[in-house]
């Protein structure tokens, strides 16, 4: 019987990512990880790609993780956890272990969208029983805010510097959640920590299904986004309410858009909270702002259309 | 001094590359070299060049392969773990005889190690690094002036020999600021690149490849490469000596370890000990003849490096049993003080020297 998703019960649970780690004040990543662990009632083993979460939680001789945890390099969190999971299955087949253990890989957007995509794709295709969690803060924050393929169009980073020659990053984001769904895995989803109940429900589904699952979690970064340190949750909410970061899931191929704002806010409401988009509001960048809104609208409408089409196909 | 600039070591290499005509850079984030891609992300577009942040080190080095084949001066940079990932591409560059400049701002290893400066990639840089029989011309700058000058030289030599060139520096030099004189780049007057793949209209097509399947073909290609490395050995050895003439103990050190050793030599001299410094500037080709001559003349050697014994093997080969060689090595981001080097030198003096060849860590 799993713990009810109510704050009263959840706050009594033991935290598996303890305080005292050295992630920045107000960082979105540990909020997501703690919500994930609070959702779980089974023992887990985690692998972690190189990144802020890995470096800041495991500065030798300390660790903030109260679970078995493994790191090897940047590009291979999914491969490493594949090996661990395969060994567990082998021990289980031989009757040497009978406990139910679940396997989670954590990676940032650099280690997931970019250098880790190959090993992630391989793990998904081989159908390992793992959950891959990407905490997406939209740049290589650990090495000093370099652009990644998750960096939004127009964002100022140290390798897509906004100035007189270029207005920040010139390319739109890659849609990784859709790429994972295209692997036809049993479960893939997008979540945000401001909606903790939705996030934790998704984590439970991902862990309970047999086979690979992927969850992309919106992770605020005040250093990289140039915001105050106390706006992670409200900015995440704005990302969802502007449909910049829609909450949706593919559960055995079936798409559900989990949150539809009654009134969709303009994307500028989200962009203007962050210094990385400041230059977009200067004269001359109106076209870029329009393009960003158009991209958001197109992706959001495509999601709604896909969901509606699926329902009408089922009812006919 | 008038005309001096004060910059971070990483940015010195980046600007020197632009001045030397580098118009293509592809890289991937890794500490402690991030200032190179960050600088070039805005600087290269200013001069009509191309900056591309790759999705991995593998992509970065192979983009350099493509750009170099098209005839442009191309560069990548990384730090130790990232250079490991680039080894396949570097082997292909060497096999295809394509010029490129690769900067390694070394950090401690093995594995993830840490992000502090180190010299633990000496073997990797001087013995090939990837698969196959190949060598890189490897420069070991020891101050910002050399970071500037040798970066420019690296592009010239890469083109001259059609071979990848390694700038082997470290996190200390890469991260620190120091004044230097931004000397003008003077093109060396190299012959035109008659091998580039730039469209074959009006000329016979060209081939750049590393695959040789015909009987004896690959061996012939390897022998051709070896001749090139031999020419490097004859023409490209660079080194610097300090108070070696009357020394009976010579400290051999490169890069940042040589700066510490230079202070140690001064301290030793103040104590009346006849010590000197021999500093290889090229690690491949290694100044083996010069060190061999010093050994023949009776000098003893203390090798000081930020690893647990890599260049010392080349010193031993050069000395070839003619004198005593010892090692003082520190690693993993630890840095020796001049006093520690002095201690190592004095321990050596007090030791029984009847056993002439000896290597030890302390």
């Amino acid at each position: 019987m799993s713990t009810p998703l109510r704050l009263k019960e959840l706050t009594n649970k033991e935290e598996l990512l303890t305080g005292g780690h050295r992630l920045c004040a107000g960082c979105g990543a540990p909020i997501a990880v703690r919500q994930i662990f609070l959702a779980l009632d089974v023992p887990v083993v985690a692998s972690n790609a190189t990144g802020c979460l890995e470096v800041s939680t495991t500065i030798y001789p300390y660790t903030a993780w109260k679970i078995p945890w493994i790191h090897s390099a940047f590009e291979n969190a999914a491969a490493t956890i594949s090996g661990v999971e395969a060994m567990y299955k082998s021990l289980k087949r031989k009757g040497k272990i009978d406990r139910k253990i679940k396997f989670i890989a954590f990676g940032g957007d650099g280690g997931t969208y970019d250098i880790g995509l190959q090993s992630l794709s391989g793990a998904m295709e081989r159908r390992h029983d793992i959950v891959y969690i990407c905490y997406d803060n939209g740049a290589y924050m650990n090495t000093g805010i370099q652009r990644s393929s998750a960096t939004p169009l127009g964002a100022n980073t140290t390798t897509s510097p906004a100035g007189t020659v270029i207005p920040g990053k010139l390319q739109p984001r890659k849609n990784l959640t859709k790429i994972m769904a295209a692997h036809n895995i049993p479960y893939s989803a997008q979540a945000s920590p401001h909606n903790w109940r939705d996030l934790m429900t998704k984590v439970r589904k991902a862990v309970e299904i047999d086979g690979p699952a992927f969850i992309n979690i919106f992770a605020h970064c005040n250093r990289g986004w140039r915001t105050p340190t106390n706006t992670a949750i409200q900015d995440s909410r704005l990302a969802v309410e502007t449909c910049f970061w829609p909450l949706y899931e593919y559960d055995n191929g079936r798409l559900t858009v989990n949150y539809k704002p009654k009134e969709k806010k303009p994307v500028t409401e989200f962009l203007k909270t962050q210094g990385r988009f400041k230059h977009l509001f200067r004269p001359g960048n109106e076209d870029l702002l329009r393009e960003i809104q158009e991209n958001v609208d197109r992706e959001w409408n495509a999601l709604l259309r896909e969901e509606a089409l699926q329902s009408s196909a089922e009812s006919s | 001094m008038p005309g001096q600039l004060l910059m971070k070591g990483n940015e010195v290499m980046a600007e020197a590359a632009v001045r030397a005509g580098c118009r293509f850079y592809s890289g991937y984030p890794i500490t402690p070299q991030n200032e190179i891609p960050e600088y070039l992300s805005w600087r290269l577009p200013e001069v009509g060049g191309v900056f591309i942040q790759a999705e991995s080190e593998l992509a970065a080095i192979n983009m350099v392969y493509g750009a170099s084949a098209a005839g442009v001066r191309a560069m990548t940079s990384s730090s130790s773990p990232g250079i490991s990932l680039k080894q396949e591409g570097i082997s292909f560059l060497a096999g295809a005889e394509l010029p490129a400049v690769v900067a390694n701002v070394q950090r401690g290893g093995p594995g993830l190690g840490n992000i502090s400066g180190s010299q633990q990639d000496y073997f990797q840089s001087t013995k090939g690094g990837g698969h196959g029989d190949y060598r890189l011309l490897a420069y070991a700058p020891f101050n910002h002036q050399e970071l500037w000058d040798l970066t420019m030289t690296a592009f010239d030599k890469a083109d001259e020999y059609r071979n990848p060139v390694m700038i082997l520096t470290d996190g200390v030099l890469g991260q620190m600021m120091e004044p230097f004189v931004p000397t003008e780049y003077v093109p060396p007057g190299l012959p035109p690149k008659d091998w580039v793949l730039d469209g074959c209209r009006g000329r016979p097509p060209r081939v750049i490849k590393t695959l040789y399947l015909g009987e004896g073909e690959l061996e012939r290609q390897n022998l051709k490469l070896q001749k090139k490395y031999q020419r490097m050995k004859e023409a490209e050895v660079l080194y610097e000596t300090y108070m070696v003439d009357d020394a009976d103990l010579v400290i051999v050190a490169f890069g940042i370890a040589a700066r510490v050793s230079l202070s140690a030599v001064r301290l030793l001299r103040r104590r009346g000990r006849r010590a000197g410094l021999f500093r290889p500037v090229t690690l491949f080709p290694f100044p083996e003849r010069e060190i061999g001559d010093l050994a023949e003349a009776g000098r003893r050697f203390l090798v000081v490096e930020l690893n647990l014994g890599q260049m010392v093997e080349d010193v031993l080969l050069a000395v070839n049993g003619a004198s005593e060689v010892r090692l003082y090595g520190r690693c993993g981001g630890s840095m020796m003080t001049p006093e520690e080097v002095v201690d190592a030198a004095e321990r050596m003096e007090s030791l029984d020297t009847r056993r002439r060849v000896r290597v030890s860590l302390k």
Side-chain angles (χ1 to χ4, degrees):
Chain A
M1 179 61 195
S2 49
T3 316
L5 291 184
R6 283 193 300 264
L7 290 176
K8 197 179 157 194
E9 279 84 1
L10 293 170
T11 46
N12 289 327
K13 286 190 74 177
E14 188 194 13
E15 295 273 6
L16 297 179
L17 182 76
T18 65
H21 58 69
R22 298 179 209 183
L23 285 153
C24 302
C27 172
I31 301 175
V33 175
R34 286 168 58 215
Q35 290 183 6
I36 289 163
F37 284 153
L38 285 178
L40 298 178
D41 288 305
V42 288
V44 290
V45 173
S47 78
N48 204 165
T50 308
C52 289
L53 181 65
E54 169 265 328
V55 167
S56 308
T57 58
T58 58
I59 295 176
Y60 188 80
Y62 305 107
T63 176
W65 302 80
K66 290 192 164 181
I67 56 162
W69 180 95
I70 182 170
H71 162 265
S72 61
F74 200 4
E75 68 278 16
N76 49 10
T80 306
I81 205 71
S82 296
V84 177
E85 182 262 2
M87 193 61 214
Y88 164 76
K89 275 191 177 159
S90 165
L91 291 172
K92 214 168 180 187
R93 279 195 300 274
K94 292 175 186 164
K96 292 184 178 172
I97 195 167
D98 57 0
R99 235 167 26 130
K100 183 178 170 184
I101 300 173
K102 287 294 179 172
F103 300 89
I104 300 183
F106 291 100
D109 48 289
T112 308
Y113 284 68
D114 288 348
I115 196 168
L117 187 61
Q118 180 174 325
S119 75
L120 172 59
S121 179
M124 296 286 138
E125 189 272 335
R126 290 189 304 268
R127 289 295 192 269
H128 291 279
D129 189 12
I130 60 171
V131 180
Y132 192 103
I133 304 282
C134 174
Y135 70 99
D136 178 349
N137 54 25
Y140 291 82
M141 302 310 185
N142 186 43
T143 46
I145 321 166
Q146 293 86 12
R147 61 90 86 188
S148 78
S149 58
T151 302
L153 176 67
N156 184 15
T157 74
T158 53
T159 53
S160 61
T164 51
V165 181
I166 58 164
K169 196 193 173 205
L170 296 170
Q171 304 85 6
R173 293 163 45 83
K174 184 193 278 183
N175 192 331
L176 183 65
T177 311
K178 290 269 191 173
I179 293 171
M180 286 300 111
H183 282 68
N184 294 322
I185 51 175
Y187 190 77
S188 53
Q190 219 163 258
S192 166
H194 81 276
N195 193 337
W196 56 269
R197 199 190 300 271
D198 175 74
L199 188 151
M200 288 166 83
T201 306
K202 285 171 175 167
V203 169
R204 286 195 168 169
K205 282 186 191 172
V207 166
E208 276 155 23
I209 56 112
D210 188 23
F214 173 84
I215 305 178
N216 206 354
I217 300 181
F218 197 65
H220 191 276
C221 171
N222 53 63
R223 278 288 295 120
W225 297 8
R226 305 298 184 208
T227 71
T229 52
N230 61 352
T231 59
I233 296 301
Q234 74 195 47
D235 291 349
S236 302
R237 187 189 306 278
L238 269 175
V240 173
E241 286 177 349
T242 57
C243 299
F244 177 86
W245 186 266
L247 303 183
Y248 63 94
E249 65 188 343
Y250 283 93
D251 190 344
N252 283 301
R254 200 193 148 73
L255 169 68
T256 306
V257 180
N258 308 103
Y259 176 79
K260 290 168 193 141
K262 283 197 189 74
E263 202 184 328
K264 187 173 147 212
K265 291 181 176 165
V267 73
T268 46
E269 296 294 301
F270 168 68
L271 302 179
K272 73 184 181 193
T273 61
Q274 301 151 55
R276 63 174 170 161
F277 298 119
K278 196 169 65 184
H279 58 285
L280 297 180
F281 295 91
R282 290 190 197 124
N285 282 329
E286 296 82 1
D287 284 353
L288 202 50
L289 276 179
R290 202 171 305 125
E291 192 182 340
I292 294 169
Q293 184 66 61
E294 281 166 10
N295 289 347
V296 167
D297 293 346
R298 192 175 53 249
E299 291 197 26
W300 174 246
N301 291 335
L303 267 181
L304 294 181
R305 212 165 37 241
E306 189 180 334
E307 192 189 32
L309 270 175
Q310 166 185 273
S311 304
S312 66
E314 279 162 7
S315 60
S316 63
Chain B
M1 206 171 127
Q4 279 187 318
L5 284 180
L6 180 67
M7 285 168 84
K8 260 191 170 185
N10 284 333
E11 295 179 342
V12 172
M13 282 187 278
E15 180 60 28
V18 171
R19 301 279 180 97
C22 172
R23 290 297 177 269
F24 182 91
Y25 174 94
S26 181
Y28 188 73
I30 185 167
T31 309
Q33 64 84 52
N34 292 308
E35 291 81 2
I36 301 175
E38 286 172 8
Y39 188 94
L40 291 173
S41 74
W42 60 266
R43 184 70 175 105
L44 275 172
E46 277 188 353
V47 293
V50 174
F51 165 86
I52 300 181
Q53 187 182 313
E55 75 278 18
S56 70
E57 281 88 354
L58 275 64
I61 190 72
N62 286 299
M63 280 193 237
V64 166
Y65 187 101
S68 179
V72 74
R73 283 197 158 177
M75 178 186 188
T76 187
S77 65
S78 192
S79 180
S80 307
I83 295 288
S84 293
L85 282 170
K86 285 178 175 154
Q87 289 304 330
E88 182 194 49
I90 294 173
S91 170
F92 272 67
L93 284 163
E97 298 192 74
L98 285 173
V101 173
V102 181
N104 181 0
V105 186
Q106 294 171 95
R107 58 190 249 182
L112 198 61
N114 62 22
I115 55 172
S116 306
S118 134
Q119 297 181 329
Q120 292 178 266
D121 304 342
Y122 177 93
F123 284 152
Q124 189 195 52
S125 314
T126 58
K127 313 290 177 190
H131 61 284
D133 255 329
Y134 72 93
R135 291 290 189 275
L136 308 176
L137 191 56
Y139 289 108
F142 103 134
N143 59 21
H144 285 28
Q145 191 63 54
E146 280 193 356
L147 282 172
W148 179 265
D149 296 339
L150 292 174
T151 299
M152 291 178 167
T153 308
F155 281 96
D156 294 342
K157 294 299 172 187
D159 280 349
E160 183 182 336
Y161 288 96
R162 286 184 59 186
N163 202 66
V165 175
M166 175 67 73
I167 302 169
L168 189 67
T169 181
D170 63 82
V172 182
L173 280 169
Q175 291 293 315
M176 75 182 199
M177 294 180 92
E178 182 173 78
F180 69 100
V181 181
T183 47
E184 202 72 25
Y185 172 70
V186 183
L190 292 168
K193 295 180 176 181
D194 58 2
W195 46 267
V196 300
L197 308 184
D198 56 356
C200 66
R201 186 174 293 174
R203 63 158 173 83
R206 296 165 178 161
V207 178
I208 292 177
K209 62 171 186 171
T210 63
L211 179 69
Y212 295 91
L213 293 175
E215 181 70 33
E217 238 188 348
L218 182 57
E219 189 177 32
R220 279 194 296 280
Q221 173 64 9
N222 267 277
L223 289 169
K224 182 184 165 211
L225 293 179
Q226 288 302 318
K227 270 190 197 145
K228 189 161 78 175
Y229 308 141
Q230 198 54 45
R231 277 195 286 127
M232 288 181 191
K233 282 185 173 188
E234 278 149 24
E236 300 304 334
V237 171
L238 291 177
Y239 61 94
E240 199 178 67
T241 59
Y242 180 77
M243 303 188 98
V244 163
D245 290 345
D246 69 333
D248 46 37
L249 176 71
V250 175
I251 297 177
V252 187
F254 68 96
I256 192 72
R259 290 175 73 134
V260 181
S261 300
L262 186 57
S263 301
V265 165
R266 291 188 180 124
L267 287 173
L268 285 162
R269 286 277 168 176
R270 229 173 283 160
R271 295 184 188 189
R273 304 204 184 264
R274 287 188 297 168
L277 174 70
F278 187 98
R279 181 173 73 84
V281 176
T282 50
L283 301 179
F284 181 89
F286 191 72
E288 51 197 21
R289 204 170 306 152
E290 294 74 11
I291 288 178
D293 290 347
L294 288 171
E296 290 295 337
R299 268 77 166 198
R300 297 188 300 148
F301 297 91
L302 175 66
V303 178
V304 176
E305 49 187 335
L306 289 174
N307 58 56
L308 294 183
Q310 299 193 21
M311 183 175 71
V312 69
E313 294 192 3
D314 283 335
V315 175
L316 278 166
L317 283 171
V319 168
N320 197 19
S323 177
E324 186 186 354
V325 179
R326 279 177 181 272
L327 168 70
Y328 181 66
R330 298 291 298 276
C331 72
S334 299
M335 178 65 71
M336 67 277 283
T337 62
E339 290 75 16
E340 285 168 339
V341 176
V342 168
D343 286 350
E346 292 190 335
R347 268 201 307 276
M348 191 171 167
E349 295 212 338
S350 66
L351 284 165
D352 175 14
T353 53
R354 277 173 299 179
R355 279 190 61 194
R356 282 155 61 92
V357 182
R358 201 183 273 201
V359 183
S360 68
L361 291 181
K362 293 278 173 183

